Amino acid sequence: MVTNRTFTMLKPDSLEKGNTGAILEKINTAGFRLVAMKQTQLSKRDAEAFYAVHNERPFFNDLVEYMTRGPIVAAILEKDNAVEDFRTLIGATNPEEAAEGTIRKIFATSISENAVHGSDSDENAQIEGAFHFSGREIF
Ligand code: ATP
Ligand code: MG
């Protein structure tokens, strides 16, 4: 398994607020290489599948509504220790608990609208990247 890659989405609130460029700049400055990237929009089915692990949670319907309401930017990123380092770069799920300087601290609105996604394991990074990209979109 590839262990130096992770998967991210800039969520709809980031695009609505015009933060795409600023967030990509932080990702780039932190040393991640773009392996694949595109702007797209999740269907309800896509979002339900992507976040299936949360389908029993009380916030699931709101999460699907949020993730489908506008375009996202999906990307595969490469760096040593990518999964863990990217989770550090984005900060805690709740921006109020996120460390200073993290992407969620700077750009997120709330625990539910928190600007970015980051894979939580090498296995999920692989699954999530393959969910969004075909082999000839990955470099
Ligand atoms: P992500 O998987 O998007 O990177 P995460 O791993 O930090 O986020 P998860 O626990 O996987 O957090 O939750 C997935 C998403 O569900 C969160 O990013 C957020 O948008 C939403 N969410 C999580 N917990 C809550 C909550 N308590 N209330 C509202 N929304 C929540
Ligand atoms: Mg998660």
Side-chain angles (χ1 to χ4, degrees):
M1 175 174 307
V2 180
T3 58
N4 59 348
R5 288 185 180 178
T6 191
F7 172 79
T8 187
M9 292 183 285
L10 311 195
K11 298 181 178 182
D13 55 319
S14 293
L15 279 72
E16 288 161 6
K17 293 194 234 171
N19 288 335
T20 302
I23 293 173
L24 290 175
E25 167 67 16
K26 286 204 78 77
I27 292 171
N28 185 43
T29 301
F32 292 87
R33 186 177 79 80
L34 281 168
V35 173
M37 183 170 70
K38 66 179 152 195
Q39 184 161 317
T40 183
Q41 185 162 1
L42 298 177
S43 68
K44 187 162 183 281
R45 232 174 118 180
D46 291 334
E48 285 171 351
F50 192 90
Y51 281 112
V53 63
H54 295 303
N55 64 13
E56 302 290 314
R57 308 286 288 276
F59 57 81
F60 184 67
N61 287 343
D62 288 344
L63 176 59
V64 170
E65 174 69 25
Y66 160 54
M67 289 301 299
T68 58
R69 77 178 184 214
I72 61 158
V73 170
I76 298 173
L77 305 172
E78 189 170 82
K79 181 184 181 298
D80 287 349
N81 203 35
V83 166
E84 192 185 341
D85 286 2
F86 193 72
R87 295 288 299 199
T88 301
L89 178 66
I90 68 178
T93 307
N94 185 348
E96 288 176 16
E97 292 163 13
E100 287 302 325
T102 59
I103 289 175
R104 282 170 168 167
K105 184 71 175 185
I106 297 167
F107 298 104
T109 306
S110 65
I111 189 170
S112 49
E113 302 207 2
N114 58 8
V116 285
H117 163 78
S119 303
D120 59 12
S121 67
D122 290 334
E123 186 189 8
N124 283 336
Q126 165 64 34
I127 292 167
E128 292 168 1
F131 184 92
H132 284 271
F133 295 99
S134 69
R136 63 195 178 87
E137 295 174 308
I138 298 171
F139 296 91

